[in-house]
Amino acid sequence: MVDRLITSDPQDWCAFSSCPRPAPPEPSGGSAASNYEGYADKVVATDRNHERVGVSVYGWLGINDFQQLVDASARNPDFCIRFLSEKNHSERQRHVAILSMYGLSIDQHVVFVRNLMKLRDQDLISSEELTSAMVPRLSTMMVLAHYQDEGIQSLLKELEARDDIGPSPKSRIRSILSGDALEERRLFDLECCSVRH
């Protein structure tokens, strides 16, 4: 149980009760990225200004620069696609860009991952980058809770059929498609929350 707590997503510990959420962005005075160049600069600056954020992705939550990037990404997901299609960005910058996409709606997420599949077919992103975006690390419950959505079902089946998706992600996909992943998370949340209380 302790091992599961350490490796689980604290954002999703209590899926059906109140859990910590990212701090709302401070007024930016128009500095939020509103065009592609502004977006790309924001990704690079966010990475550079927060180099001390540890390995855990949850270190980004509550950082105003990152939240502004999340907001910009939700307004125009194509900015991230263009950013990832360019080879001049570091692995960490690309990671920050993908991570910031967790605020997308279900429909936006489906379109975003389909576009990533196109980038993968052109060898512009790695298979790891594709699978990391498949189920957003900061909003895992979004995909799990909507596993019956036609768009999510179709997307996951397409991903599962790909030759460049490894056995572990394929197993995860099958678990989501069947609803088992959601049930496991609900049971874990119940155990976790009862232990915490």
Side-chain angles (χ1 to χ4, degrees):
M1 180 65 175
V2 172
D3 289 340
R4 291 185 72 188
L5 284 170
I6 292 171
T7 58
S8 70
D9 180 340
Q11 193 68 6
D12 294 328
W13 279 349
C14 300
F16 305 105
S17 63
S18 60
C19 287
R21 292 290 169 206
E26 298 169 3
S28 61
S31 65
S34 58
N35 57 49
Y36 175 71
E37 290 73 21
Y39 168 85
D41 289 346
K42 190 72 172 172
V43 174
V44 172
T46 299
D47 170 50
R48 184 179 59 245
N49 294 339
H50 301 285
E51 290 179 347
R52 294 186 178 274
V53 174
V55 176
S56 172
V57 297
Y58 308 107
W60 291 103
L61 295 175
I63 294 176
N64 189 50
D65 288 345
F66 180 71
Q67 188 58 45
Q68 287 180 5
L69 192 57
V70 170
D71 296 340
S73 298
R75 284 194 300 273
N76 198 331
D78 289 340
F79 286 168
C80 183
I81 297 298
R82 181 172 169 186
F83 186 87
L84 295 172
S85 72
E86 299 172 350
K87 291 286 193 178
N88 58 317
H89 303 296
S90 72
E91 183 178 337
R92 182 177 153 97
Q93 289 166 356
R94 297 165 70 83
H95 173 70
V96 169
I98 292 172
L99 192 61
S100 73
M101 303 303 283
Y102 84 93
L104 300 181
S105 68
I106 287 291
D107 291 340
Q108 285 178 313
H109 177 69
V110 169
V111 172
F112 173 63
V113 178
R114 282 219 167 95
N115 282 327
L116 287 187
M117 285 193 276
K118 292 176 186 175
L119 292 187
R120 177 64 190 141
D121 291 340
Q122 300 169 49
D123 202 27
L124 293 173
I125 66 169
S126 67
S127 59
E128 291 77 17
E129 287 171 329
L130 176 58
T131 56
S132 72
M134 178 180 75
V135 179
R137 192 68 181 95
L138 293 174
S139 57
T140 302
M141 278 303 295
M142 177 189 74
V143 174
L144 299 188
H146 293 90
Y147 78 95
Q148 291 180 312
D149 178 89
E150 285 184 18
I152 291 291
Q153 286 269 323
S154 174
L155 174 68
L156 292 178
K157 287 174 183 174
E158 287 176 43
L159 284 163
E160 185 186 15
R162 293 181 65 92
D163 293 334
D164 55 350
I165 299 292
S168 180
K170 285 191 181 211
S171 176
R172 175 74 167 151
I173 288 170
R174 287 190 290 271
S175 177
I176 295 169
L177 285 170
S178 68
D180 289 345
L182 177 61
E183 186 60 26
E184 287 171 11
R185 177 49 62 93
R186 283 177 171 160
L187 290 172
F188 174 68
D189 288 340
L190 288 172
E191 293 172 12
C192 170
C193 291
S194 64
V195 168
R196 293 170 70 201
H197 292 101

